[in-house]
Amino acid sequence: YLPEFPDRFSSLVHARQFLDEFVHAYNHHHRHSGIGMHTPADVHYGLADMVDRDRDATLDAARRAHPERFGTRAQARPKILEREPAAWINPPSVDEIELAA
């Protein structure tokens, strides 16, 4: 699911290019079980709650459209792990947070 590390990098430029792509994929595309199947970017920027609401709406629509695909616990929401609403090493200013939203 992530770019695969080569055995060797052909140059410093190649290594930097690969790591740029790897870090981007890890932070923006790879979903982590430890943070409720969110990307680190979703949690970092405080978008995880919105993603959870979108997931719930999609799942509810699927249940209504195809109830036969769901068991007797059709209304049970998949378990989402507890997490902080946003994660920071160095919190940005309020202005920066508003710009990100």
Side-chain angles (χ1 to χ4, degrees):
Y1 295 85
L2 290 171
E4 199 167 311
F5 271 81
D7 290 333
R8 290 179 177 260
F9 295 107
S10 58
S11 66
L12 181 58
V13 171
H14 177 224
R16 287 180 173 159
Q17 179 183 21
F18 174 83
L19 286 174
D20 283 345
E21 293 169 8
F22 181 87
V23 168
H24 179 80
Y26 185 88
N27 287 329
H28 296 276
H29 300 287
H30 184 67
R31 302 195 181 284
H32 299 259
S33 61
I35 53 175
M37 299 310 291
H38 288 284
T39 66
D42 285 347
V43 175
H44 176 77
Y45 290 111
L47 302 174
D49 289 338
M50 180 184 68
V51 171
D52 283 343
R53 286 190 299 274
D54 290 347
R55 287 177 181 170
D56 285 345
T58 299
L59 188 54
D60 288 342
R63 284 184 178 123
R64 285 191 303 277
H66 302 283
E68 71 280 2
R69 294 183 183 176
F70 296 87
T72 57
R73 294 177 42 126
Q75 297 307 313
R77 185 176 190 256
K79 181 180 178 185
I80 301 296
L81 301 175
E82 292 295 322
R83 59 176 158 60
E84 295 295 321
W88 305 100
I89 294 172
N90 297 310
S93 69
V94 173
D95 293 337
E96 290 174 311
I97 292 173
E98 289 174 359
L99 285 174

